[in-house]
Amino acid sequence: MISERQILPANSAKTRQILAFSVIVLINLIFAFKYLSRSTDHFFILSIFYISILILLFVVKRRIDLKLFNSNIFFYSLVFLYSLVHIILFHFIKAETLNVDRWSVISSFWEQAFNGQYPYNAQSHMGNYPAPLPFYFVMALPFNLIGEIGYLSLAGILILAVFLRKNLSPRNSVGALVILFLSVSVFWEISTRSTILINSIFFMVYLFWLGKVNFENKKQYWISAIIGGLLLSTRTIFALALVIYVVYLFKSKEVRFKKLIIWSLIIVSVLLLTFVPLLVFYTPEFLIRNPFNVQTDHLFPFNISVIFIALAAISGFICSRKQDLVFYIASIFVLVLITYFYLCIQRYGFTDAYFKSGIDLSYLLFAFPFLLYFSFSSNNRLTYGDTGQSIKHKK
């Protein structure tokens, strides 16, 4: 088993952090270039200027050490002001006026369900069928009932902010927060009531919490598996993260093989249980249309999904440190998104795919929280945070 004090060469760790942050910059450039092009002829220059600011902030972050950064009041005041801006914007930017229908997919799903009809036959105001898995809609239900899905997206930012503060040094947590708040991709996510980021944040927090779970404790063992199954019943892409994590635990022998297999089966069982109501009450409809065939039609053919699962398993085997799990999960997500972009460009052509929304750019945010954390985490400890607290499974 790898020693808890083993470290990566400093240059290797730094290179990975620079690579992770470069992807964050690229994600924001993709968003800025597209949406600035709709409002100004100077979109190219403005986009380059914008990402230059992000790069500059990342470069100088290690040279700035203000006592103010240690203050929780300062940190959470920034969070409060950012949240307040979006709450105000919710009243001025109406979801119905935007060319994004993730909020509408949720509302139409529940409208269909409350009317006693098969919810996966629902169509958004833009004519799209639901693709997320059942627990995604359960999680969004309270926000749908109050009439503002945007608060779900904003809740994700609040959770991520708290996570960064508790798992990074004070200076790095402020640095990560500033990049988060200056990210045009995140601003777009919240303003359009998209819900990609919140799902990814939940899953990242869950993976970090797993590091503290004692698999010999029956209660923790079952609760962690049940939560894993429910979170997996939001977006299928998270199965890749679980594959990486489980294979790593198997290789490192941190959890007994039998317990790991049973734990994985519980997760899959909970996932399948979330489909039981649909299968019981709407069997014919489910066989015709369900989130799996919707995703296959619009995202990936099944054979490509199998390849990604194999790549995730390989990533788990070659991962040598727990902190690197974040990097490998982000990497496999980015690889999935590159493939998705390529398929869309092949289908629609570059102009229609990029400028006319043949590509759903919000999918880029699946990798965002993992990239953000890794970019600002310590590179000299075998931990899931740079506060010095080691995370390991008890045997």
Side-chain angles (χ1 to χ4, degrees):
M1 185 166 126
I2 299 172
S3 167
E4 290 292 329
R5 296 185 179 275
Q6 182 177 344
I7 61 174
L8 270 178
N11 289 339
S12 176
K14 185 176 181 180
T15 299
R16 289 185 178 187
Q17 286 186 310
I18 292 174
L19 180 60
F21 186 75
S22 297
V23 178
I24 289 178
V25 171
L26 179 60
I27 290 172
N28 281 306
L29 177 61
I30 290 171
F31 273 87
F33 195 84
K34 175 179 177 177
Y35 290 103
L36 283 174
S37 69
R38 296 180 176 180
S39 57
T40 175
D41 292 333
H42 305 294
F43 61 93
F44 181 80
I45 295 175
L46 290 174
S47 298
I48 299 302
F49 177 72
Y50 164 67
I51 64 168
S52 298
I53 293 176
L54 297 182
I55 294 171
L56 179 63
L57 289 172
F58 183 73
V59 170
V60 304
K61 69 180 174 66
R62 295 187 181 281
R63 300 176 185 176
I64 301 176
D65 191 12
L66 300 176
K67 290 184 179 180
L68 188 62
F69 290 172
N70 295 324
S71 169
N72 283 333
I73 295 177
F74 171 72
F75 183 88
Y76 289 110
S77 293
L78 292 179
V79 175
F80 172 77
L81 290 174
Y82 185 81
S83 303
L84 184 61
V85 168
H86 279 286
I87 291 172
I88 294 172
L89 287 176
F90 287 156
H91 292 281
F92 291 96
I93 303 176
K94 300 301 180 182
E96 298 84 355
T97 65
L98 303 172
N99 191 32
V100 179
D101 68 347
R102 197 152 280 125
W103 64 272
S104 181
V105 168
I106 295 171
S107 61
S108 61
F109 178 97
W110 282 116
E111 182 179 354
Q112 191 94 338
F114 291 146
N115 288 330
Q117 298 174 307
Y118 179 57
Y120 278 97
N121 275 340
Q123 287 182 284
S124 72
H125 73 292
M126 295 174 63
N128 293 317
Y129 290 100
L133 277 58
F135 191 70
Y136 167 92
F137 294 100
V138 174
M139 185 176 67
L141 178 58
F143 300 91
N144 183 66
L145 292 175
I146 65 175
E148 182 50 82
I149 296 296
Y151 289 124
L152 174 60
S153 306
L154 189 57
I157 300 301
L158 300 180
I159 293 169
L160 181 57
V162 173
F163 173 85
L164 294 172
R165 190 62 174 176
K166 292 185 177 298
N167 289 277
L168 297 175
S169 67
R171 180 178 60 184
N172 283 345
S173 67
V174 172
L177 190 74
V178 170
I179 296 299
L180 175 68
F181 288 172
L182 290 180
S183 291
V184 66
S185 56
V186 175
F187 182 87
W188 179 94
E189 166 84 358
I190 303 173
S191 299
T192 61
R193 285 72 162 182
S194 181
T195 52
I196 295 294
L197 191 58
I198 177 66
N199 286 272
S200 195
I201 290 168
F202 273 149
F203 209 86
M204 185 175 75
V205 172
Y206 167 71
L207 289 176
F208 273 73
W209 173 72
L210 274 183
K212 301 178 182 180
V213 169
N214 180 358
F215 274 48
E216 297 299 325
N217 182 303
K218 186 176 293 186
K219 182 179 179 180
Q220 293 184 27
Y221 181 80
W222 275 88
I223 290 176
S224 63
I226 292 171
I227 293 176
L230 292 176
L231 290 178
L232 189 57
S233 183
T234 56
R235 295 282 184 175
T236 54
I237 193 172
F238 298 133
L240 299 176
L242 276 177
V243 169
I244 294 174
Y245 192 83
V246 169
V247 171
Y248 171 80
L249 291 181
F250 168 75
K251 184 203 71 167
S252 62
K253 299 179 180 179
E254 293 196 22
V255 180
R256 286 184 291 166
F257 178 71
K258 182 179 178 180
K259 277 191 170 293
L260 194 57
I261 291 298
I262 295 174
W263 184 78
S264 301
L265 290 175
I266 296 171
I267 289 178
V268 174
S269 299
V270 172
L271 166 65
L272 295 176
L273 283 173
T274 62
F275 287 93
V276 168
L278 299 172
L279 287 168
V280 170
F281 296 105
Y282 306 104
T283 304
E285 294 91 339
F286 182 86
L287 295 176
I288 295 173
R289 178 174 290 111
N290 57 70
F292 301 108
N293 58 33
V294 171
Q295 291 182 32
T296 300
D297 292 340
H298 292 88
L299 298 178
F300 297 113
F302 178 74
N303 57 335
I304 295 181
S305 299
V306 172
I307 293 173
F308 283 129
I309 292 173
L311 290 175
I314 294 171
S315 298
F317 270 111
I318 65 178
C319 181
S320 59
R321 303 168 66 237
K322 277 184 184 156
Q323 181 159 326
D324 291 340
L325 286 169
V326 177
F327 179 79
Y328 281 106
I329 290 170
S331 298
I332 200 73
F333 283 178
V334 170
L335 184 59
V336 168
L337 297 169
I338 290 174
T339 306
Y340 163 68
F341 276 35
Y342 173 78
L343 293 175
C344 287
I345 291 172
Q346 288 286 94
R347 182 183 303 173
Y348 304 112
F350 178 80
T351 300
D352 286 350
Y354 180 55
F355 289 102
K356 297 183 179 180
S357 301
I359 294 174
D360 189 340
L361 294 184
S362 65
Y363 289 149
L364 289 168
L365 293 169
F366 277 125
F368 191 94
F370 294 92
L371 294 167
L372 183 66
Y373 168 79
F374 191 85
S375 297
F376 287 86
S377 62
S378 171
N379 60 19
N380 64 351
R381 292 189 182 95
L382 185 62
T383 63
Y384 265 10
D386 67 355
T387 59
Q389 180 181 3
S390 177
I391 295 177
K392 59 184 179 180
H393 288 282
K394 298 179 182 178
K395 284 189 167 185

